[in-house]
Amino acid sequence: MGAPDTQWPRYEVFQQTRPGGRYQNVGSVHAPDPEIALQNARDVFVRRPQTVSLWVVPAGEILARTREELEKDPSWRRPAPPPAGATEKVYHVFQKRSQRRSMGYVTHSGEVRAANRDQALLRAWEQFGEGPVFVWWIVPAGAITSSEEADVASMFQPAQDKSYRLPGVYHTRTLMREAKKQQEEDKA
Amino acid sequence: MGNEVANDTARLAAFEARIARGEKIEPGDWMPDRYRKQLIRMISQHAHSEIVGMLPEGAWITRAPSLRRKMVLLAKVQDEAGHGQYLYHAAETLGATREEMLEALLDGRAKYASVFNYPTLTWADVAVIGWLVDGAAIKNQTMLAQCSYGPYSRAMVRICAEEGFHMKQGKEMCILYAQGTPEQKRMVQDAIERWWWPTLMMFGLPDDESTNSEILLRWGVKTKTNDTLRQEFVNEMVPQIQVLGLAIPDPDLYYDEASENWIYGEINWDEFWQVVKGDGPCNEERLGARRQAHEEGQWVREAVAAYAEKQISVQGEQGVPA
């Protein structure tokens, strides 16, 4: 805090692990622009073969609220009315719904149309608020930069061939069992 | 004033009740200042350890004995860079900035795992670091995956999933070298002798000297004490190392039937403090390498920033919102 910003703005990163699957927030990267944010996100989050698409969004564009925050100050239920004639835009709604062990955070649960983020939060709550929701994220569709179909070969395919990154290819259990057998034979 | 204190007491009770219910604390939720500070300390030290941890093994990438081993080691070192990034992100959610954290590392104020201040003398060190050092890290990280702070816990789950191969590639090499030529066996034995004690120190000070343990356990940051984790590790490792016909450099080591524990000899905490305080065999070399990397990356950061600025001005001229 106070040190000069040499690390650039933060972008939240969302990962899709199969075509048509729900995007999930996996963490963030710093970058000077969305294009490099995507590159950095690829380097940081795609060393394993389970990504088919990435979104990056400037962290400042996202409205994030925990259940505790919403309970503490209920004024979000009465957002200021948008100015007359304000056009509605698309907002993506992400939620955290489970306390189970996970490597991802909020998951995509749908879209709403609204004039601004505050109104989008209220509409999201009306539409997707059933059952416990621990965290809400409202993400303007216009703030998303997505990897493209043409990027798949260069960004995501290479991870498929690197099987040596998977623990299953090292047969340590068998090797250890054989070593044990050898030791017992040597003793006998 | 009285109300403030009463509020804080109520908030603390609610916070502790949430942890007791197994809920994760998330960015935006109320938390005691001490919880935030302890987590920033732990997570940033952990991040620095991943970053500095690239160096001892990175030195062997150009001298790997085969192309396969080289690809494996490259992938492992890349992972460690990524793990550092996951962890810096987790610390940022608590209000720490990357500038502060990087600055603290580069000017020598920040701590990182002292095990990385030991030298890697032969290729067998790569094998033993994977098996012992990563094995110990995984034990600690599996425990931290249960942490009450959501971002730290998620980073740990992701890191544990990825580190499985780090440990196994090292273990595979240790087994093969232990069964290999006399020279290979001698190398792996020598590496175990040098890394055994620094690995046991990775679990931190004994419980009766670990000042933060109690509050960290109470608030669900940790779920096991340093000594408990260290004992679990020793119990798992000793029989495996012995099966390979390798010796553990601890003349006092014995199996205690009553407790079913392998009881290890005294750890040299003087050496631990000496290394933590900067006088380990490689402290200067490690920080020197980090500073050099930071300085030599300066032109890249400048070029990328200039490119971003240019893109914004081009978009501005074309009337596209930046």
Side-chain angles (χ1 to χ4, degrees):
Chain A
M1 303 174 225
D5 183 4
T6 56
Q7 300 285 311
W8 308 310
R10 215 160 51 75
Y11 287 79
E12 290 291 348
V13 179
F14 301 84
Q15 181 192 44
Q16 188 188 45
T17 54
R18 58 185 166 77
R22 294 161 180 248
Y23 284 82
Q24 187 178 40
N25 174 247
V26 288
S28 68
V29 293
H30 290 255
D33 61 40
E35 187 189 341
I36 293 176
L38 266 182
Q39 282 298 324
N40 289 350
R42 186 262 182 197
D43 291 346
V44 174
F45 295 103
V46 192
R47 295 187 310 279
R48 295 295 182 282
Q50 69 255 45
T51 307
V52 297
S53 170
L54 288 176
W55 286 355
V56 291
V57 178
E61 298 283 339
I62 298 170
L63 178 67
R65 290 288 180 270
T66 67
R67 183 168 72 170
E68 186 183 284
E69 287 176 297
L70 296 182
E71 283 171 0
K72 194 170 63 188
D73 178 7
S75 64
W76 61 275
R77 284 175 186 261
R78 299 176 304 277
T87 49
E88 293 200 341
K89 285 176 287 187
V90 173
Y91 290 84
H92 288 276
V93 180
F94 289 79
Q95 298 175 322
K96 177 186 164 176
R97 280 186 163 270
S98 162
Q99 300 286 0
R100 277 201 307 270
R101 192 186 147 100
S102 167
M103 55 174 90
Y105 189 26
V106 289
T107 305
H108 191 261
S109 51
E111 294 169 18
V112 292
R113 293 186 67 84
N116 55 43
R117 295 191 311 191
D118 292 334
Q119 194 181 51
L121 175 63
L122 183 63
R123 291 191 173 162
W125 184 79
E126 286 163 354
Q127 210 174 322
F128 305 105
E130 216 166 293
V133 181
F134 302 105
V135 181
W136 292 90
W137 277 18
I138 303 299
V139 179
I144 297 170
T145 303
S146 175
S147 60
E148 287 163 25
E149 201 51 45
D151 300 328
V152 170
S154 64
M155 286 180 80
F156 309 130
Q157 289 289 337
Q160 309 275 347
D161 305 329
K162 295 177 181 166
S163 61
Y164 49 84
R165 286 186 186 271
L166 305 174
V169 305
Y170 302 91
H171 301 121
T172 48
R173 204 182 286 259
T174 316
L175 286 170
M176 205 42 118
R177 201 166 43 226
E178 283 164 6
K180 207 168 194 171
K181 216 165 100 191
Q182 189 63 48
Q183 192 196 38
E184 279 157 13
E185 281 172 17
D186 290 350
K187 270 186 198 163
Chain B
M1 272 305 254
N3 269 342
E4 281 284 301
V5 175
N7 274 344
D8 267 1
T9 312
R11 274 192 291 211
L12 182 62
F15 168 83
E16 292 189 343
R18 287 189 61 194
I19 290 173
R21 283 198 299 272
E23 283 181 32
K24 299 286 183 222
I25 306 302
E26 298 292 354
D29 288 341
W30 185 86
M31 63 186 78
D33 201 39
R34 191 166 171 204
Y35 180 81
R36 181 188 303 275
K37 284 188 177 143
Q38 284 291 334
L39 278 168
I40 291 177
R41 177 188 66 84
M42 281 177 71
I43 300 172
S44 61
Q45 284 180 12
H46 199 158
H48 299 327
S49 300
E50 296 282 354
I51 298 298
V52 178
M54 290 191 277
L55 298 169
E57 292 182 279
W60 282 92
I61 290 172
T62 54
R63 293 173 284 172
S66 70
L67 183 57
R68 178 178 158 78
R69 291 292 174 201
K70 184 172 184 162
M71 291 196 300
V72 170
L73 183 56
L74 260 174
K76 179 176 190 284
V77 171
Q78 275 178 357
D79 273 355
E80 278 149 13
H83 296 173
Q85 299 300 322
Y86 302 161
L87 286 158
Y88 284 126
H89 157 75
E92 282 177 307
T93 65
L94 292 156
T97 67
R98 289 210 183 200
E99 281 77 16
E100 287 177 301
M101 292 188 276
L102 284 180
E103 212 177 88
L105 175 63
L106 295 178
D107 70 19
R109 269 179 297 138
K111 289 193 184 120
Y112 53 86
S114 65
V115 72
F116 298 122
N117 288 318
Y118 291 84
T120 41
L121 302 182
T122 75
W123 175 259
D125 288 33
V126 174
V128 169
I129 288 175
W131 194 19
L132 297 188
V133 176
D134 288 303
I138 290 171
K139 271 217 100 34
N140 192 39
Q141 291 170 165
T142 304
M143 183 258 303
L144 289 169
Q146 321 261 351
C147 171
S148 58
Y149 187 57
Y152 196 19
S153 136
R154 288 187 288 275
M156 287 296 105
V157 174
R158 187 172 290 273
I159 288 174
C160 285
E162 296 187 358
E163 292 231 340
F165 107 75
H166 297 190
M167 195 271 281
K168 288 183 89 177
Q169 59 86 33
K171 185 172 177 178
E172 182 189 69
M173 282 196 280
C174 287
I175 299 171
L176 295 174
Y177 295 153
Q179 298 166 344
T181 64
E183 174 67 358
Q184 286 172 324
K185 193 166 176 180
R186 197 190 56 72
M187 265 171 58
V188 73
Q189 177 63 47
D190 167 63
I192 285 184
E193 282 170 23
R194 285 180 290 107
W195 291 96
W196 176 255
W197 289 108
T199 303
L200 293 198
M201 292 176 198
M202 285 174 69
F203 294 96
L205 290 173
D207 293 348
D208 52 4
E209 288 173 49
S210 175
T211 46
N212 298 316
S213 258
E214 198 187 319
I215 196 79
L216 294 177
L217 287 166
R218 179 184 168 95
W219 285 340
V221 175
K222 290 173 145 194
T223 51
K224 288 176 181 176
T225 70
N226 297 353
D227 284 335
T228 305
L229 279 176
R230 185 163 25 234
Q231 187 65 61
E232 284 180 11
F233 177 77
V234 170
N235 290 352
E236 283 168 30
M237 295 307 295
V238 169
Q240 299 189 67
I241 294 172
Q242 290 181 341
V243 159
L244 300 180
L246 298 168
I248 293 160
D250 180 355
D252 298 328
L253 184 75
Y254 71 96
Y255 186 71
D256 177 54
E257 297 276 351
S259 65
E260 300 184 326
N261 282 327
W262 283 92
I263 308 297
Y264 47 91
E266 200 162 332
I267 294 174
N268 184 347
W269 293 110
D270 291 340
E271 177 184 320
F272 173 79
W273 282 115
Q274 193 189 332
V275 178
V276 169
K277 287 181 176 153
D279 289 325
C282 299
N283 296 55
E284 268 177 50
E285 191 185 327
R286 301 292 182 240
L287 276 188
R290 284 316 312 154
R291 289 190 192 115
Q292 191 188 347
H294 191 71
E295 282 157 21
E296 289 178 356
Q298 181 66 27
W299 72 269
V300 180
R301 293 192 292 278
E302 282 168 7
V304 168
Y307 177 76
E309 215 160 284
K310 194 172 145 198
Q311 290 304 104
I312 288 169
S313 68
V314 168
Q315 282 170 351
E317 280 162 25
Q318 292 169 348
V320 179

